[in-house]
Amino acid sequence: MNTNTKQPGTFAGSIVRQKDPDNLEYPFTSLDGLFTPNELFYVRSHFERPEVDPQNWRLTVTGAVERVLEIGYDELRRMPCRTEPALLECSGNSRVFLEPPQSGIRWELGAVSNAEWTGVPLVDLLARAGVKETAVEVVLSGADQGTFEEPDPPTPGRISYARSLPLAKARQPQVLLAYKMNGQNLPPEHGFPVRAVVPGWYGMASVKWLRSIEVTERAYHGYFQTLMYAIWERRGELPDLVPVGEIQVKAEIARPVLHEVVPAGASCRIFGAAWTGEGIVSRVDLSTDGGSTWSPARLTSEPIPYVWRLWEYDWTPTERAPHTLMARATDDRGREQPLERNKDRRDAVISHVLPVEVFVS
Ligand SMILES: Nc1nc2c(c(=O)[nH]1)N[C@H]1C(S)=C(S)[C@@H](COP(=O)(O)O)O[C@H]1N2
Ligand SMILES: [Mo]
């Protein structure tokens, strides 16, 4: 049989923000369940994707440890594993909405996705190596390398993608060295053969194509946590530039979309998802009048740590006019999604309420 006669399917595909390296956005308007299919899960890559042969792959654990460790792919997969659902959100998600415009990839709503990950808890590997009492951080490095000229100053020559975690976060049992995503082997663009998954932290912490783990006795100040993915934090008088970490509470509207025309006098289902870092989304409020009045939306999925909650709201507009929709999430630690952008966050951690202007006709 000639397979060339096969008809194309109805697969909508990702939104290409950059072709090379892969920077692909999940079409958030297609949200219709808790888990994002692997083919639609957003991709954020800084350098050319490395080809890693699992048979030659070795992960090393070095630094402030009792014994240096080296482990291969088959051996890692024989260790006790866990399966954890977790959402990843790029800390640049929604950057296109910032005023004035910021440099960096111009993500709309879809640099966020949710999957189920299977792998070995990082803490188990750390325990095998024996972390010294003097240790403070764990630096995870990927096999991908490259240079940047921008932002100024450029990289010190070729560097690897690397990020650190404080030891306390690294020891949470949900932090995985994952080799499966939604039950399949990790796809190449998501870090095959093994990646870190750090639930509750912005995506930059979940290092793909993981190659080495270094336990350090002082804080790491690498490129991806100082010149990128760092925000101002104010404790008292002196603003401090700190690495981006925990995901902030946020709701996004999947439908209707910006500038959609909604019929008057008919019921319109407004729906989306909401998420937070260490906690659970406990409510989502909806405004259809630009924030003057708010009503609670219905939460339509269970509270699961590190996973988004789906929500919906029935709206029957009557007035034929422009309307501004807003969704605002609150978590069980009492953290409310901010209405305004905080400029201290520079070009990252974009978690304020995002208005969606629609027209009722
Ligand atoms: N090795 C490596 N890991 C990486 C990156 C990268 O460029 N190289 N990008 C990071 C960023 S910024 C994000 S948001 C997530 C995205 O993961 P995904 O592409 O599987 O969605 O991977 C992180 N891990
Ligand atoms: Mo990211």
Side-chain angles (χ1 to χ4, degrees), residues 332-351:
D332 63 347
R333 301 195 179 179
R335 295 177 293 196
E336 242 188 352
Q337 186 177 356
L339 291 168
E340 299 294 334
R341 173 69 181 160
N342 176 353
K343 289 229 156 78
D344 285 352
R345 295 176 178 180
R346 306 167 77 220
D347 63 347
V349 190
I350 301 142
S351 71

Side-chain angles (χ1 to χ4, degrees), residues 63-311:
V65 292
E66 302 298 341
R67 15 179 202 279
V68 167
L69 204 79
E70 198 181 283
I71 189 167
Y73 186 61
D74 294 335
E75 193 186 349
L76 186 82
R77 290 187 62 141
R78 281 195 300 268
M79 285 181 67
C81 69
R82 273 174 85 116
T83 295
E84 296 284 343
L87 147 160
L88 295 186
E89 180 184 16
C90 183
S91 79
N93 189 29
S94 313
R95 185 176 286 130
V96 75
F97 303 111
L98 293 184
E99 278 294 342
Q102 302 286 312
S103 61
I105 294 184
R106 295 172 62 75
W107 304 108
E108 293 183 33
L109 298 173
V112 59
S113 301
N114 182 52
E116 188 175 78
W117 310 93
T118 302
V120 175
L122 170 58
V123 65
D124 292 355
L125 221 65
L126 293 176
R128 267 173 73 163
V131 172
K132 290 190 174 160
E133 293 226 325
T134 48
V136 294
E137 284 191 351
V138 175
V139 182
L140 308 176
S141 306
D144 51 332
Q145 293 191 333
T147 59
F148 293 140
E149 295 305 317
E150 296 282 336
D152 222 20
T155 53
R158 267 176 89 75
I159 58 168
S160 299
Y161 185 86
R163 273 289 296 200
S164 77
L165 286 175
L167 209 48
K169 181 67 189 174
R171 282 181 162 146
Q172 276 186 0
Q174 296 90 349
V175 174
L176 297 182
L177 309 181
Y179 48 79
K180 282 190 173 197
M181 176 178 184
N182 290 327
Q184 295 167 330
N185 283 344
L186 214 53
E189 61 277 22
H190 293 292
F192 181 81
V194 177
R195 76 174 303 167
V197 174
V198 183
W201 276 43
Y202 282 103
M204 78 278 124
S206 293
V207 176
K208 304 192 277 188
W209 311 291
L210 191 63
R211 199 179 55 176
S212 65
I213 297 175
E214 188 182 332
V215 181
T216 65
E217 291 172 314
R218 62 189 179 99
Y220 177 62
H221 298 293
Y223 196 88
F224 296 96
Q225 54 197 62
T226 51
L227 295 171
M228 282 178 88
Y229 305 119
I231 58 176
W232 294 112
E233 199 172 271
R234 291 174 196 268
R235 304 187 201 115
E237 291 297 299
L238 300 169
D240 200 10
L241 192 63
V242 298
V244 171
E246 190 188 351
I247 291 175
Q248 302 296 300
V249 64
K250 181 176 181 183
E252 287 187 1
I253 298 173
R255 285 293 175 98
V257 298
L258 187 62
H259 299 160
E260 190 164 333
V261 178
V262 176
S267 168
C268 166
R269 179 174 169 255
I270 304 173
F271 71 93
W275 54 91
T276 187
E278 309 288 347
I280 297 275
V281 167
S282 52
R283 62 181 291 150
V284 173
D285 292 290
L286 236 287
S287 174
T288 57
D289 56 12
S292 300
T293 60
W294 296 87
S295 317
R298 247 187 334 275
L299 299 171
T300 58
S301 67
E302 294 305 305
I304 306 171
Y306 304 125
V307 172
W308 56 26
R309 272 189 106 165
L310 306 179
W311 57 264

